[in-house]
Amino acid sequence: MPEIPAVSRRLLLGGALATGATLAAGAGAAQAGTVAQSGAAPASAPRRRPGQKSMINVPYDAYRTVRVGVIGLGNRGSGMSEGWSAVPGCTVTAVCDIRADRAKRTADRLVAKGKPRPAEYGGSDESFAQMLKRDDIDLVYIATPWEFHYQQGRAAMLAGKHVIVELPVATELDELWDLVDTSERTRRHLMLAENCSYGRNELAMLKMAHEGLFGDVTNGHGGYLHDLRALLFSDTYYTDAWRRLWHTRSTASFYPMHGLAPIAAAMDINRGDRMTVLRATATEPKGLADYRERFVPKSHPSWKETYINGDLVTCMIDTAKGRVIRAEHDVSSPRPYSRINSLAGSRGIFEDYAGTSTTGGRVYVEPDHSGHAWRDFDTYRKEFDHWLWEKIGDDAANNGGHGGMDYVLQWRTVQLMRSGQVPDIDVYDSAAWCSPVPLSVKSLAAGGRPVGIPDFTRGSWVNLRMGLDSRTSEMPPVT
């Protein structure tokens, strides 16, 4: 393919871009204009406490071995425990679940795989606090129901541990701010366990964007479109029906991050641009009630429930640079799985979950293509394959779920900690990507009117810096 005459982000990071007062002033003006045009009130940032400092570009201390404690051992936590134990230089030292039998079962499975037996905690809703007192845990992985993420993530940082939390890290705006502040005060990193950010197509799309193939990126679409109706009404899959019950008490876009995060990374959100305004719309909540009517016995406890969460919740997000992101959530409708994963600009477009390519993607970029005809993504993914997939793709397929991206997330996290590098995903990314959860509620309550999105970086978003587009590096040898 011919070279695209555009300046790549990698070259800019090499020193060609000044990111000081001039850029900050220009970006600030752009942000103010975007918010003013939308009619939304700017979202203010609380002041830092004395001595509290940013965690941007703060590296991990180098760990010879990363010792992981796992909280929450349902379907997700138990499987990820095995993934952590498979990463070179990583060991699971403790596991915890309110149901003690799950801790024992997970420990038994690790021993059966030849791993050291982790300490077991369980039996009460405070068992995790006892586990956090241990001094042989460096990283806490949290895979409990959503309502516990904030409390447990905050407690882990206060106990001196780094934290990685399943989606979302918190469900309220004040909780997101508190996690940012707690990270800054404790000097511990907290990151969203956004495995889709490490998907093979997503990382190739990001590299293409940063190398200029799409020209000036103008818009992107992402989301979580997954028919979960059967699982939501299962009596065993989601313990105590915790996930279905969220549909009875909140109108939020619960889970757009799987699609939003890769688009945000490709747009350098918090790394030269930022999300400024959100508008939400929602369809009527029809899907779950309809499924219950057709497939669920009248004796089932769900018949006492009223569902208020719209089947499709859509968030339209503006950025300071004038880009637009559409983030969607729908788990209540009959449809094939999709995270949408589409990015477009002045020179082309990528769309995932479309076309006939073995990758699932299709692409159209100038000057390579013409004639209004899509092309398969295969050749482009091979050319722009991220170094992580080139290095550990085979291991990822053998050690992790979701096509291997679970293991890539785990391997990279351990590698960053063992080599003392800066996280690819930080607490500011995590808070921004999760902010549509509470902000969608606020916008919907106001009839879909725009609401301001906080700047969790407190102004540092103007500076271009590395993230998921990391440079190649090695896993330190295990000694």
Side-chain angles (χ1 to χ4, degrees), residues 124 147 174 360 431:
S124 82
E147 52 262 42
D174 59 343

Side-chain angles (χ1 to χ4, degrees), residues 70 105 274 315 355 441:
V70 178
R105 185 163 60 247
R274 87 168 191 88
C315 296
V441 174

